[in-house]
Amino acid sequence: MQSLTAGVATKADLALQFACSVVVDLVGQGWKLKVGRKKVRIQTPSDEGATPEEIKQRVRAGHLVRRDAQLREPAMAEFVRGMEQRRLGPTGWVSVFSLMRDGRDLAKKLSAAKEEPSDAKRAGLLSSVIAPYVQAVEPDVTCPVSGLKLMDIWRYFRHTWVSTYKSLPGRSMMLLVRDAAAPYHPVIGIAALGSSVAQHSTRDEWIGWDSDTFIKKLAEQPSAAWCRWIHESIDRLVDGLYRKDLLAAGVIQGRHVSKPTEEVIQGLMKEAANATKAHHLDASAADHKRGSNEGANGSIGWEKQAMTPLFLGKRAKTLAMLLGIRRNLVEAGLGECFAGALRKALGTPKGKHAVRQLVRLVKAEHVGVDMMDIIICGAVAPYNVLLGGKLVCLMLTSPEVVEFYRARYGAQQSIIASSMKGAPVVRAPNLVLLATTSLYGVGSSQYNRIRVPLEAVGGKAGATLEYRELGMSRGFGSYHFSTASLDYLETLIPRGHDNRKVNSIFGEGVNPLMRKLRDGLAGVGLPADELLMHGNQRLVYGVPLAENFREVLLGRDKRPKYWLSLKSAADSTKMLAEFWRKRWLAGRITRPGILEGVGKHTLSYPVIHGARVQLPKDEEHDLFE
């Protein structure tokens, strides 16, 4: 098969290379391939009759194929070796090995604590053996005890995970959980929060964002307050749109905002279609990068950004939708704010459709601001043997994490919202909910049984802080496609091509990779929906951080009522760590074989430690040899 660098390839060549690469990916992930005389059949792996452990091993093997391919890249191998190389730090010679806890020393101290007959003294000993704290990873900030960059520390340990390391669009925050009880404060575990996925049916139904669930709730409990919420939401969303150019061009008039007509709505949709077509014909990512539209004084030219074809199309389409919602609600009888009018409107198709659309728009305001997805969470050796993964889970619920998030994004101008308004928009980052999925859909998970009585950690009596199991995901995604296949896809439909609808420009829409894959697979005659359905269903969890998280996410409440006070955030972290020591650590160290398992992770030559990145065998390199 011709390589991408072997010369000029025809579109047919590239299409064949992309299709073949996809098939190779799927076979590598355990899909069944049957080649006939005229057809090639490919089938998702079947778990029928398999044990939970066998299913885990299949999923794990699929992830390792891509992870090991990434570690074979020269730059990755060079990074790993560089981190393991000794260098002079603030207090002496250090390497990433200095940030790993020696298992033999840890096992010895835990054994002494285990033998202490007094509960109070045992608790004191355990707190002196493992003293966790949370550290936010900021770019270019160095660790004060080792001198290594925090981002490099996080990245190194991330490469010990089964899945590949990759950056994600949108907001993100990396965290280290470290142990102040040992020299150099070794890493207990790592975590990362990322912008929540826009669409997730299981999660949305639980929150109340699912339109059918929302309408059912309103129909059962109509009120004047909900009527006001509807009208205020429409007003706020309309005010968030730049309209000067649309008014100047005569597409709309001022009176149409409060009294929209069908003709005006259709005119806006036509304007949106023309702008979107213009964007696809000449889409330049450089025109939409932060700083590309800066003024002479360094301020962002949001008005100029709003008038680009991309955001003109988005603005016109959104305004058409909002005016359509307003028109339909008036025709459905919701002109005044009282419960009877809402009940009447929800009894009509137009009223239901309008509320469904409004809920989706309100959700879009909050999904990327007031909640985050846990995309990485777990412990490294030897702490993983001690259920350190559950400790990292608890650390993510600390008010310190809420404060880290506020500090990072509290003054940040929203790119999309500011581009839609043509003026700076700063949305208060009220982190009230975390969501995540397990890596495997079967067997135990580190998220299971994480329930903390709030009074045990300084919170409200009678309430519980917990990871709530919401159901199963659909097993839909893109992890099973390799970097090689994505490279072929980029070459097959180059940026700016008139058939390319996705140009990886922030603001084009949610999950550009999935939409790009869908278009590419369909373009070469492969069944996109079937191939994107990898079948690895996962458990879905929600972690409310505030009592009124639903009200905040629906825009009804402006102020979160956090389970744990932000005023004593550091104390809450200490109490969460103490709860982990009592609930999990104290019992874990009494189990046969646990301390022996901890002691196997040694830092003396030769280094045999589970927190060390294992390069694929053809890239192994031992600095001590």
Side-chain angles (χ1 to χ4, degrees):
M1 183 162 46
Q2 184 180 10
S3 70
L4 290 174
T5 59
V8 178
T10 66
K11 186 173 181 178
D13 292 333
L14 291 171
L16 177 61
Q17 291 170 340
F18 172 60
C20 290
S21 183
V22 166
V23 172
V24 170
D25 290 343
L26 298 177
V27 172
Q29 297 290 330
W31 291 48
K32 304 298 182 183
L33 184 68
K34 294 182 180 179
V35 181
R37 294 181 62 184
K38 294 184 178 181
K39 292 183 178 180
V40 176
R41 296 182 181 275
I42 193 161
Q43 184 179 12
T44 55
S46 174
D47 292 329
E48 185 177 353
T51 65
E53 189 58 36
E54 288 171 339
I55 295 172
K56 282 186 178 182
Q57 288 301 320
R58 178 185 64 76
V59 176
R60 181 181 175 86
H63 280 287
L64 285 173
V65 169
R66 291 196 61 186
R67 199 278 308 265
D68 287 350
Q70 184 179 60
L71 288 175
R72 287 190 178 93
E73 296 174 5
M76 291 293 181
E78 182 179 354
F79 167 76
V80 170
R81 293 167 183 159
M83 289 294 290
E84 295 177 354
Q85 180 68 51
R86 295 180 71 207
R87 69 196 75 185
L88 188 61
T91 58
W93 290 94
V94 299
S95 71
V96 75
F97 295 134
S98 306
L99 303 179
M100 301 177 192
R101 187 81 183 257
D102 184 80
R104 289 178 298 184
D105 174 69
L106 178 58
K108 181 180 179 181
K109 292 179 177 178
L110 289 173
S111 180
K114 182 183 70 170
E115 300 303 324
E116 172 56 53
S118 166
D119 290 344
K121 290 183 178 180
R122 188 186 316 114
L125 286 173
L126 289 177
S127 65
S128 68
V129 175
I130 301 179
Y133 67 93
V134 186
Q135 185 175 41
V137 176
E138 298 291 348
D140 299 322
V141 174
T142 58
C143 167
V145 293
S146 70
L148 299 173
K149 286 187 176 182
L150 293 178
M151 183 60 77
D152 288 345
I153 295 171
W154 190 94
R155 180 185 169 196
Y156 178 89
F157 289 108
R158 171 64 179 84
H159 284 304
T160 64
W161 255 239
V162 171
S163 56
T164 54
Y165 170 80
K166 58 183 178 181
S167 60
L168 295 174
R171 298 186 174 193
S172 63
M173 189 167 69
M174 284 73 168
L175 300 160
L176 293 167
V177 178
R178 302 182 66 173
D179 190 352
Y184 294 106
H185 295 191
V187 173
I188 295 174
I190 65 172
L193 305 179
S195 292
S196 294
V197 296
Q199 304 294 334
H200 198 298
S201 57
T202 303
R203 177 204 68 191
D204 292 352
E205 184 175 347
W206 174 68
I207 291 173
W209 278 340
D210 172 73
S211 57
D212 289 335
T213 303
F214 185 79
I215 288 174
K216 181 181 178 182
K217 178 181 179 180
L218 259 62
E220 292 174 349
Q221 301 173 347
S223 66
W226 276 117
C227 289
R228 287 193 296 272
W229 175 85
I230 289 172
H231 291 300
E232 289 170 0
S233 295
I234 296 172
D235 290 340
R236 183 184 67 256
L237 290 166
V238 170
D239 288 343
L241 299 175
Y242 180 79
R243 304 193 298 275
K244 289 182 182 179
D245 55 341
L246 298 173
L247 288 165
V251 179
I252 60 169
Q253 297 179 21
R255 59 187 173 86
H256 293 143
V257 173
S258 58
K259 295 182 179 180
T261 65
E262 186 61 29
E263 181 182 4
V264 166
I265 293 169
Q266 292 304 316
L268 285 167
M269 291 302 295
K270 183 178 179 180
E271 185 76 12
N274 290 337
T276 301
K277 182 178 180 181
H279 169 69
H280 289 158
L281 288 174
D282 187 23
S284 174
D287 292 339
H288 296 274
K289 287 183 178 178
R290 184 182 292 275
S292 62
N293 287 326
E294 286 187 0
N297 61 354
S299 62
I300 303 295
W302 293 120
E303 188 170 2
K304 180 180 177 182
Q305 183 87 336
M307 296 177 70
T308 61
L310 170 61
F311 285 102
L312 170 58
K314 289 172 69 70
R315 287 188 291 112
K317 183 177 180 180
T318 303
L319 184 56
M321 184 183 297
L322 286 166
L323 297 186
I325 290 170
R326 176 165 281 167
R327 179 176 171 82
N328 283 336
L329 287 174
V330 170
E331 291 181 355
L334 193 62
E336 300 181 24
C337 288
F338 60 93
L342 180 55
R343 183 183 292 109
K344 178 182 176 182
L346 292 176
T348 68
K350 282 188 176 181
K352 287 182 179 179
H353 180 63
V355 173
R356 282 194 177 96
Q357 289 182 306
L358 182 60
V359 171
R360 287 198 292 270
L361 291 172
V362 170
K363 168 188 168 183
E365 283 188 299
H366 296 276
V367 68
V369 178
D370 297 329
M371 64 176 291
M372 296 281 275
D373 282 348
I374 303 172
I375 51 179
I376 295 293
C377 179
V380 300
Y383 299 97
N384 58 344
V385 183
L386 301 168
L387 299 180
K390 292 188 180 293
L391 170 64
V392 179
C393 291
L394 288 179
M395 294 293 98
L396 289 179
T397 69
S398 167
E400 285 194 284
V401 174
V402 175
E403 289 192 322
F404 293 152
Y405 183 67
R406 284 188 172 183
R408 176 168 295 185
Y409 294 108
Q412 186 177 97
Q413 296 176 10
S414 169
I415 296 176
I416 294 180
S418 300
S419 299
M420 295 288 277
K421 189 178 177 66
V425 175
V426 177
R427 288 177 172 166
N430 294 317
L431 184 60
V432 296
L433 178 68
L434 301 175
T436 191
T437 60
S438 63
L439 182 59
Y440 310 107
V442 295
S444 62
S445 164
Q446 69 178 357
Y447 303 122
N448 289 347
R449 297 183 298 280
I450 296 185
R451 300 182 186 89
V452 184
L454 280 168
E455 57 188 322
V457 290
K460 179 180 178 182
T464 304
L465 180 66
E466 63 180 318
Y467 280 64
R468 302 183 189 179
E469 187 177 318
L470 309 182
M472 299 291 292
S473 69
R474 294 173 56 203
F476 189 82
S478 61
Y479 87 89
H480 49 310
F481 294 100
S482 67
T483 302
S485 292
L486 300 181
D487 288 343
Y488 282 123
L489 178 59
E490 288 290 331
T491 310
L492 179 63
I493 309 178
R495 187 182 300 278
H497 191 277
D498 57 1
N499 287 330
R500 178 164 173 155
K501 299 178 182 178
V502 187
N503 295 279
S504 298
I505 294 173
F506 196 64
E508 276 189 324
V510 298
N511 208 332
L513 176 58
M514 290 292 286
R515 292 183 293 124
K516 209 181 300 182
L517 273 168
R518 187 185 296 279
D519 289 347
L521 292 169
V524 298
L526 293 174
D529 287 341
E530 288 83 352
L531 297 188
L532 289 169
M533 188 68 72
H534 53 68
N536 294 330
Q537 291 185 307
R538 300 174 180 182
L539 291 165
V540 181
Y541 294 87
V543 192
L545 303 180
E547 183 178 354
N548 61 338
F549 75 97
R550 286 190 174 91
E551 288 76 9
V552 171
L553 293 175
L554 282 169
R556 296 195 71 189
D557 287 357
K558 303 298 182 184
R559 292 177 175 271
K561 300 175 183 177
Y562 285 110
W563 291 122
L564 298 173
S565 173
L566 301 187
K567 295 179 181 179
S568 54
D571 291 338
S572 293
T573 301
K574 292 177 181 178
M575 285 187 280
L576 287 166
E578 179 62 22
F579 182 85
W580 171 78
R581 285 191 291 262
K582 290 180 178 179
R583 170 67 177 83
W584 283 290
L585 180 61
R588 185 72 171 174
I589 60 178
T590 64
R591 296 183 59 178
I594 294 299
L595 293 183
E596 288 79 2
V598 170
K600 290 179 180 178
H601 301 277
T602 65
L603 293 173
S604 57
Y605 176 82
V607 175
I608 302 174
H609 202 288
R612 184 181 186 181
V613 175
Q614 297 298 315
L615 294 172
K617 293 187 180 298
D618 54 343
E619 293 288 347
E620 282 186 351
H621 177 76
D622 197 320
L623 295 172
F624 297 98
E625 290 181 350

